[in-house]
Amino acid sequence: MGTAKSVLKAVSDAMPLTGAKDIKLNRQNFSVTGMSCAACKARIERAVMKVPGVISVSVQLLQNAMTVIFDERKCSAATIVAAVEHAGYGATPVTSTQQLHQADDSEVSTRHKKLLGSIVLTVLIMLLSMGPMVGLNVIPMAEANAYGQMGLCLMVIALNSHYFSNGFKALLHLGPNMDSLVAVGAGASFLASAISVMYIGPDENAATLHHNHYLYFESVATILTLVSVGKFFESKAKLKAINAISALYDLAPESVVVRRPKNQACPAAPKGPKAAKEPAAKKEQAARKEKAAPKDATGAGATDSAYEEVSVPLEMVQVGDEVVLRSGDRVGVDGVVIEGSGYFDESALTGESAQVKKEVGGQVLSATYLRHGYVVFKAQRVGSDTTLAQIIALVDDANSKKAPIARLADKVAFYFVPAVIAIAIITSLIWLALGAPATQALTFAVSVLVVSCPCALGLATPTAIMVATGRAAALGVLFKSPEALEKLAAVDTMVLDKTGTITVGKMQVVSADLADSSYDRAEILALAAALESRSEHPIAAAIVSYCQEQQPKLERPELQHFATLQGQGVSAQVKGTTWYLGSRSLLEQVMGTDAPSSTQSARFTSVYLFTAEQVLAQFALGDELKEGAANMVTALRSLGVSPVMLSGDNQGVVAAVAQDAGIVAARGECMPQHKSECLTALRANAHNVAMMGDGINDAPALASADVGISLSGSTDIAKSCADIVLMQDKLGRLVDAVQLSRLTLRNIKENLFWAFCYNVICIPLAAGVFYVSFGLELNPMIAALLMSLSSLCVVSNALRLRRLSLAVNGSSNVTGAEQELKAQLEGLKLTAITPIKSEEVTMKKELQVAGMSCQHCVRAVTKALSALEGVDSVEVTLETGKVVVTGSENMASDEAIKAAITEEGFELKSIA
């Protein structure tokens, strides 16, 4: 919505009022094919923005998707597709964002098969080309050996032909990318080798092949294979990114059960404010005629109810429909409970493990599900207005804005490849102009292309990343993409979720204070377990579990007169004594005194076991801090990363946990959109932000952050949205990941520096700049050797990452930046969550009135009853004498109604 508003504002600012009034905006999603790097993304955006009528365009590289907002009067989807195709790519309009997120693993599978084939063929080429050097002469004849290498190399090229097709296509469109770099280098090496094969004599031996001829087939195969390794992991990352939102859609049920009056069609959605008022109210009154009917064993209406339950697709649910939920049912729309009660699992939204009880008037949200109970709720938000739909929109929007960091090699490729080709052409022309033979001029030109083959440049980044990700995997850290390594190195703010991330994430008894009394410990625990064993509340389950752990052979006493005290606890009699187990308010109500306090009271939920005369036990329930959490915070500070905590829990608990962990900046009571807003605000203040979370409620924030991090026990959604997954439940691995990413980025810069220096020195040598003066010449064979040495240096430097220490040294004091973050979070005004107004409780009374004979009688009865307190409407049926009075829970008493009827001269036969 914010994007649409900003676009409309931009249009109105840029156009005259009359033009802005007539503008007809359309937002269209496209599936894009042929992209391989950030340069492709930028080129498509530039091409589409040139189309008249296009207001904005956003290309998502990972999702292979594009979103365009354009003026339908000036262009169409077909025009945009044509612009993308003209740029050298493909585009197809899609009807919904869900189409973009249909996971398809065919690309990953195809790349995997091609990679395996390339590795096998490259090994065979190495065996033929380098085997004779170590006495392994598989094919002794030089000519046959060379043709064998060329044939195997052609097979590798065929398996990786997309690099050449995409690379040369990009060159033709004057936009070289990484594929162009690979295609030119590998192509030049293959061409020079193929020409050399033509001059091999029939009697030559393979042992002297490399001394007499310029063959670089193994270099071509190695370049293509190593680059394919990186591309394979990139395609897996794309699939994970698509699965992220696809999994979010799976949270909504395909169909829901709607309750309607029998023999009544589904009411149409109201057309306006007036239609949503009186007619809807009357229909609702009629639909609830049998609400007081007895319930069957399942909690549903009895079989003689006037209602029928119909299963309808989720898309068909309308505002005002009554949706039925039974234990285990997922909630597809938002609404308000109008009948029944039950415990809901809202961990998808809040991240909190404790189940929430909802009764009449309680708010029900999509993406949650009913764990226990029977509930009927009235739909008030459907379609794109539901909570789940808004979360999906947040994740989708964040992904569309989070462009990957363009690799330095891609940036250099834009200038480097054309420059090298130009240098090669100029070199041959100059030597021809100087009178050199054509073969010598061609040798210098080929030497320039071969020596500048981007092997070192192409290996600089992927080799370091492969070594780093391998070491990270051994540590239990999964980096999903190279971008994750690059971005994590620059992070200066680490946002942490509480439940399940910093804490264990499971409601449990933290401590139990047992008072001195005539009852021993075993008797107290047995009493507590017996009382809570009949309750389905999560707190009850935690207490029962605790008691059983403390006393495995509990002998629970027999309970009499067991009762559930709504919202406060339970009570029962044991041997004539009434026992209570419940909240502080229940204790104060029963005993008439203040509840005992302890150091745990302010930090955890307290539950008391007591009688009317004494308190026997105080159970403190909460979520324990994970092992290593405080050490992780200290280490992050040492690395210059400021820790921040955001949680959906109440502010008091969040502050207590933050204090235990040593975190200064923390904020509680954050809904999913609030976390996303906080991260956006931090990033707007020039912070590089990482987010670590484990729940579905963290998905928007994980997608909004520069780097998203999840844990091994996280939900599938959180893992899919995250860029990094800690495969072990060890928070210290987060520090290792940050340190490793920084070392890797430094290593990449060292590799790129060497690769650039190598080219600056070797290209002039290969071009023959020092040939006339000093006789220095690089023939293609020496050029290939230097190229191999440059690659060896880069690989050797990258392998150092396996041995570098990840120990963290430095100060860990609270910094001024953390104090600023604290002030910023406290002063941040988050979007107010508009609550669904609870439906007022209505009362209905049916009267049987005698003595009415005409419409004047009807008006008299209607007027008399309408004047009573709390009466909203009166419906009189003259023929049967039936009068239906509807009003609030404060409606006048039966005596007052009878008096009003009698005063008008009529007789009240019955009232129900």
Side-chain angles (χ1 to χ4, degrees):
M1 198 65 182
T3 304
K5 287 181 179 178
S6 62
V7 170
L8 287 172
K9 185 179 185 302
V11 171
S12 61
D13 290 342
M15 300 178 63
L17 184 58
T18 54
K21 189 187 302 181
D22 297 332
I23 194 169
K24 195 173 181 181
L25 290 182
N26 183 25
R27 179 188 177 98
Q28 179 66 55
N29 295 307
F30 297 84
S31 175
V32 182
T33 58
M35 292 192 296
S36 62
C37 65
C40 300
K41 169 186 175 295
R43 186 158 51 256
I44 293 174
E45 289 180 340
R46 286 197 299 268
V48 175
M49 280 302 296
K50 292 179 181 178
V51 177
V54 172
I55 306 300
S56 72
V57 56
S58 175
V59 176
Q60 297 91 57
L61 182 62
L62 284 180
Q63 287 93 336
N64 288 325
M66 175 176 67
T67 302
V68 183
I69 299 177
F70 59 93
D71 183 1
E72 288 184 339
R73 299 178 302 113
K74 295 185 178 181
C75 66
S76 63
T79 311
I80 295 171
V81 169
V84 175
E85 291 177 345
H86 182 71
Y89 304 89
T92 306
V94 295
T95 56
S96 68
T97 56
Q98 189 168 2
Q99 271 187 269
L100 292 174
H101 306 130
Q102 296 299 321
D104 181 9
D105 61 353
S106 58
E107 181 185 1
V108 176
S109 177
T110 300
R111 285 190 181 276
H112 186 243
K113 293 176 182 177
K114 289 183 177 181
L115 176 60
L116 291 178
S118 299
I119 292 174
V120 171
L121 293 171
T122 300
V123 171
L124 292 176
I125 295 175
M126 293 288 188
L127 183 64
L128 292 179
S129 64
M130 299 182 180
M133 300 179 186
V134 294
L136 188 61
N137 204 346
V138 179
I139 302 179
M141 300 299 297
E143 188 175 17
N145 187 301
Y147 276 110
Q149 291 183 47
M150 185 168 68
L152 292 171
C153 187
L154 282 172
M155 294 171 69
V156 175
I157 291 175
L159 287 174
N160 299 277
S161 60
H162 53 281
Y163 293 126
F164 296 90
S165 59
N166 293 339
F168 288 121
K169 186 187 293 184
L171 277 176
L172 292 175
H173 288 88
L174 304 180
N177 55 16
M178 190 67 185
D179 287 350
S180 303
L181 210 61
V182 173
V184 170
S189 298
F190 181 82
L191 182 62
S193 302
I195 293 174
S196 297
V197 170
M198 299 170 60
Y199 295 96
I200 298 176
D203 298 328
E204 292 187 49
N205 190 279
T208 59
L209 194 57
H210 275 81
H211 295 286
N212 302 326
H213 303 280
Y214 313 130
L215 300 181
Y216 322 112
F217 294 123
E218 74 278 2
S219 298
V220 175
T222 302
I223 292 171
L224 295 176
T225 300
L226 289 175
V227 172
S228 294
V229 172
K231 291 294 184 180
F232 168 69
F233 287 113
E234 284 184 10
S235 63
K236 290 188 70 175
K238 288 182 181 180
L239 184 64
K240 291 288 186 181
I242 293 173
N243 279 333
I245 302 178
S246 178
L248 283 175
Y249 280 104
D250 292 340
L251 286 176
E254 294 183 1
S255 61
V256 297
V257 176
V258 176
R259 188 179 73 174
R260 296 171 182 154
K262 288 183 179 178
N263 303 321
Q264 181 173 331
C266 178
K271 301 287 184 180
K274 189 174 182 180
K277 218 171 184 181
E278 295 179 4
K282 290 181 180 179
K283 287 179 181 178
E284 186 176 335
Q285 292 166 15
R288 297 192 188 170
K289 182 177 179 180
E290 301 293 333
K291 187 153 288 188
K295 301 288 187 281
D296 61 16
T298 64
T303 55
D304 60 345
S305 171
Y307 293 106
E308 62 178 349
E309 296 180 358
V310 182
S311 179
V312 299
L314 182 62
E315 297 78 13
M316 299 295 291
V317 179
Q318 299 179 353
V319 173
D321 281 348
E322 295 183 0
V323 181
V324 179
L325 295 176
R326 292 181 173 84
S327 298
D329 287 350
R330 286 198 172 274
V331 182
V333 297
D334 297 356
V336 170
V337 177
I338 60 175
E339 183 181 329
S341 66
Y343 288 97
F344 284 79
D345 187 329
E346 295 187 338
S347 58
L349 299 179
T350 65
E352 303 305 317
S353 57
Q355 297 168 31
V356 181
K357 186 173 184 179
K358 297 295 180 70
E359 300 175 305
V360 174
Q363 183 176 340
V364 176
L365 301 176
S366 54
T368 66
Y369 71 95
L370 181 64
R371 291 290 295 269
H372 305 287
Y374 172 82
V375 167
V376 180
F377 72 92
K378 185 175 181 179
Q380 294 196 352
R381 290 178 186 154
V382 300
S384 60
D385 295 329
T386 64
T387 303
L388 176 59
Q390 291 171 5
I391 290 177
I392 292 174
L394 281 170
V395 175
D396 194 29
D397 187 53
N399 276 328
S400 67
K401 292 179 180 177
K402 189 172 67 173
I405 293 177
R407 295 187 182 90
L408 184 57
D410 278 325
K411 294 179 180 179
V412 173
F414 188 84
Y415 304 101
F416 181 75
V417 176
V420 168
I421 294 174
I423 291 172
I425 294 174
I426 292 172
T427 297
S428 61
L429 292 176
I430 289 176
W431 281 107
L432 288 173
L434 293 176
T439 54
Q440 187 179 25
L442 180 61
T443 299
F444 281 125
V446 170
S447 294
V448 169
L449 289 173
V450 172
V451 80
S452 61
C453 178
C455 192
L457 190 60
L459 290 174
T461 299
T463 307
I465 287 177
M466 279 194 297
V467 175
T469 52
R471 182 174 183 183
L475 294 171
V477 179
L478 172 63
F479 287 95
K480 290 188 176 181
S481 66
E483 288 80 13
L485 266 172
E486 294 175 335
K487 292 180 180 180
L488 186 61
V491 163
D492 58 31
T493 304
M494 182 68 67
V495 177
L496 306 165
D497 176 48
K498 181 185 75 70
T499 306
T501 303
I502 294 294
T503 62
V504 176
K506 182 180 180 182
M507 183 66 76
Q508 56 187 339
V509 176
V510 176
S511 66
D513 295 332
L514 307 184
D516 293 332
S517 67
S518 58
Y519 296 91
D520 60 26
R521 178 181 179 84
E523 288 179 301
I524 294 175
L525 295 177
L527 273 169
L531 285 165
E532 292 289 47
S533 62
R534 297 193 183 185
S535 174
E536 295 179 342
H537 198 281
I539 289 179
I543 291 177
V544 171
S545 177
Y546 173 81
C547 294
Q548 289 176 339
E549 288 177 2
Q550 296 295 314
Q551 296 289 335
K553 298 181 179 180
L554 277 177
E555 295 183 6
R556 299 176 187 174
E558 184 178 348
L559 303 181
Q560 295 178 335
H561 308 296
F562 178 85
T564 299
L565 307 176
Q566 199 66 30
Q568 293 184 305
V570 296
S571 69
Q573 283 188 2
V574 178
K575 297 180 180 179
T577 301
T578 302
W579 291 90
Y580 300 88
L581 185 63
S583 64
R584 172 187 295 269
S585 61
L586 177 63
L587 184 148
E588 293 174 348
Q589 177 182 337
V590 173
M591 299 187 68
T593 60
D594 293 336
S597 60
S598 68
T599 56
Q600 307 285 8
S601 300
R603 308 167 69 89
F604 301 102
T605 301
S606 292
V607 176
Y608 303 88
L609 175 65
F610 59 97
T611 66
E613 291 78 25
Q614 62 176 332
V615 178
L616 266 73
Q618 177 182 354
F619 297 95
L621 292 99
D623 209 356
E624 287 186 327
L625 201 65
K626 276 188 178 178
E627 183 181 355
N631 292 335
M632 176 196 68
V633 170
T634 301
L636 286 175
R637 284 206 187 99
S638 299
L639 292 173
V641 179
S642 301
V644 174
M645 182 188 291
L646 298 177
S647 175
D649 210 338
N650 70 74
Q651 187 63 40
V653 174
V654 171
V657 173
Q659 182 179 359
D660 290 344
I663 298 174
V664 174
R667 183 158 184 168
E669 300 173 2
C670 291
M671 292 293 284
Q673 51 266 56
H674 291 158
K675 292 183 179 181
S676 183
E677 287 175 17
C678 287
L679 264 71
T680 301
L682 292 176
R683 294 180 68 192
N685 281 274
H687 292 290
N688 294 313
V689 184
M691 167 72 189
M692 184 162 77
D694 70 316
I696 299 170
N697 61 306
D698 298 318
L702 289 170
S704 298
D706 293 298
V707 182
I709 306 168
S710 69
L711 296 162
S712 60
S714 303
T715 61
D716 291 339
I717 308 301
K719 288 181 181 178
S720 298
C721 288
D723 303 296
I724 302 170
V725 179
L726 305 184
M727 301 307 293
Q728 301 173 1
D729 199 12
K730 297 180 180 179
L731 295 180
R733 295 308 184 197
L734 175 62
V735 180
D736 292 339
V738 174
Q739 185 77 318
L740 182 60
S741 67
R742 294 184 177 184
L743 292 174
T744 303
L745 190 62
R746 186 179 70 183
N747 190 278
I748 290 173
K749 291 178 179 178
E750 293 170 353
N751 287 345
L752 290 174
F753 176 78
W754 161 251
F756 295 147
C757 288
Y758 156 79
N759 281 288
V760 168
I761 295 171
C762 291
I763 288 178
L765 281 173
V769 173
F770 305 107
Y771 179 71
V772 177
S773 302
F774 304 99
L776 295 177
E777 177 185 8
L778 286 181
N779 59 40
M781 179 178 172
I782 298 177
L785 177 62
L786 289 175
M787 181 188 67
S788 299
L789 288 175
S790 69
S791 300
L792 180 62
C793 290
V794 167
V795 172
S796 299
N797 188 46
L799 290 176
R800 291 174 53 245
L801 287 172
R802 296 187 301 180
R803 301 184 301 274
L804 292 177
S805 172
L806 299 180
V808 178
N809 299 311
S811 173
S812 61
N813 296 327
V814 176
T815 63
E818 290 181 54
Q819 297 292 352
E820 292 178 6
L821 286 170
K822 179 182 179 181
Q824 184 178 345
L825 285 177
E826 291 175 350
L828 185 62
K829 293 184 178 180
L830 301 176
T831 302
I833 304 298
T834 305
I836 299 176
K837 293 183 180 180
S838 298
E839 189 174 42
E840 292 185 0
V841 178
T842 58
M843 295 189 67
K844 182 171 61 177
K845 295 185 178 182
E846 294 182 6
L847 318 178
Q848 195 66 41
V849 179
M852 295 186 296
S853 59
C854 64
Q855 291 299 325
H856 292 287
C857 300
V858 172
R859 281 194 292 271
V861 171
T862 301
K863 183 178 180 181
L865 294 177
S866 298
L868 295 176
E869 181 183 359
V871 174
D872 295 330
S873 65
V874 179
E875 295 181 5
V876 181
T877 305
L878 180 61
E879 293 77 8
T880 61
K882 182 178 179 180
V883 180
V884 178
V885 182
T886 306
S888 67
E889 57 182 340
N890 297 321
M891 187 190 299
S893 65
D894 293 351
E895 290 75 16
I897 293 175
K898 182 177 180 180
I901 295 291
T902 305
E903 188 174 340
E904 292 296 328
F906 304 102
E907 180 183 359
L908 181 61
K909 292 286 188 181
S910 64
I911 182 170

